[in-house]
Amino acid sequence: MLLLVLGLVVFLGVHSTRIFADGWRTSMIQRMGEKPWKGLYAIASIVGFVLIVYGYGLARQNPVVLWPQPPVAMRHIAALLTLVAFVLFFAPYVPRNHFKAKLRHPQVIGVKVWAFAHLLANNTLADLLLFGGFLLWAVLSFRAARKRERTLATLPPAGTPMGTALTAVIGIAAWVVFAFWLHTRWIGVAPMGVSA
């Protein structure tokens, strides 16, 4: 459990500099240069991510159950919510889609939906730390981003039907691959009841 917590602190901490220390982040980029900053950021993110994955895997071997196993219906709801999360997660990378135009920060909203979905379907302390931590981070990150937007007064490009459709297709395809194959192989849980 300690490795999971350490990983969350490192990974979410690195990704929280714009939330809690945006001025410090800006001064560090000016002092170091953008490429070295991004390099350190990437290294810390990878270390944090590896610790999260390894720590979560260890914690699942001796789970601390916090409440009874949620009903099967919660797994179905979680699967549907993660489908939405996948579409939103890819939205920033597809030009001129309505998700980005309307929501401004669809990837952060996607993280919220993904984390909430997993909290609905799981019941251990490790789940609460992992998904609750990401949910809290996403809420704070979205709030900070909206605050920055109000000072900059910038608008994203308008969405188009083609950009929106492409975003949906990419997100759905990625969700199908992950939900039906990769989740089982990488996490050891078959969310759709399908074995790898």
Side-chain angles (χ1 to χ4, degrees):
M1 198 72 70
L2 181 61
L3 287 178
L4 172 60
V5 172
L6 181 59
L8 287 167
V9 168
V10 172
F11 187 85
L12 296 179
V14 167
H15 286 81
S16 296
T17 54
R18 293 205 78 183
I19 300 171
F20 299 110
D22 199 25
W24 174 83
R25 174 185 173 274
T26 302
S27 68
M28 289 299 291
I29 292 172
Q30 290 172 348
R31 187 182 316 164
M32 296 174 62
E34 190 171 351
K35 286 185 180 179
W37 169 263
K38 285 185 176 180
L40 285 174
Y41 186 93
I43 291 168
S45 296
I46 291 167
V47 168
F49 184 75
V50 168
L51 287 171
I52 288 171
V53 171
Y54 188 65
Y56 184 67
L58 289 177
R60 287 180 60 225
Q61 292 176 13
N62 297 294
V64 177
V65 176
L66 298 178
W67 51 79
Q69 183 67 38
V72 175
M74 287 300 179
R75 285 178 53 188
H76 300 304
I77 293 169
L80 182 60
L81 288 173
T82 54
L83 171 58
V84 172
F86 266 75
V87 172
L88 294 175
F89 188 84
F90 286 99
Y93 307 109
V94 181
R96 300 183 69 86
N97 66 79
H98 284 96
F99 301 109
K100 186 171 183 179
K102 298 291 184 187
L103 301 174
R104 306 288 185 90
H105 304 282
Q107 192 170 64
V108 175
I109 296 172
V111 172
K112 283 187 197 179
V113 173
W114 166 83
F116 179 70
H118 283 78
L119 286 172
L120 289 179
N122 293 285
N123 66 337
T124 70
L125 178 59
D127 297 317
L128 181 62
L129 290 172
L130 176 60
F131 303 116
F134 271 92
L135 180 58
L136 177 61
W137 171 84
V139 168
L140 295 174
S141 179
F142 186 80
R143 187 178 72 175
R146 295 296 287 186
K147 184 178 178 182
R148 284 193 305 271
E149 274 179 359
R150 283 193 290 273
T151 61
L152 297 174
T154 56
L155 292 173
T160 64
M162 180 62 74
T164 303
L166 184 59
T167 303
V169 168
I170 292 170
I172 292 168
W175 175 83
V176 167
V177 170
F178 198 79
F180 285 90
W181 291 286
L182 296 183
H183 198 282
T184 307
R185 290 173 187 251
W186 291 353
I187 316 293
V189 175
M192 309 305 289
V194 178
S195 299

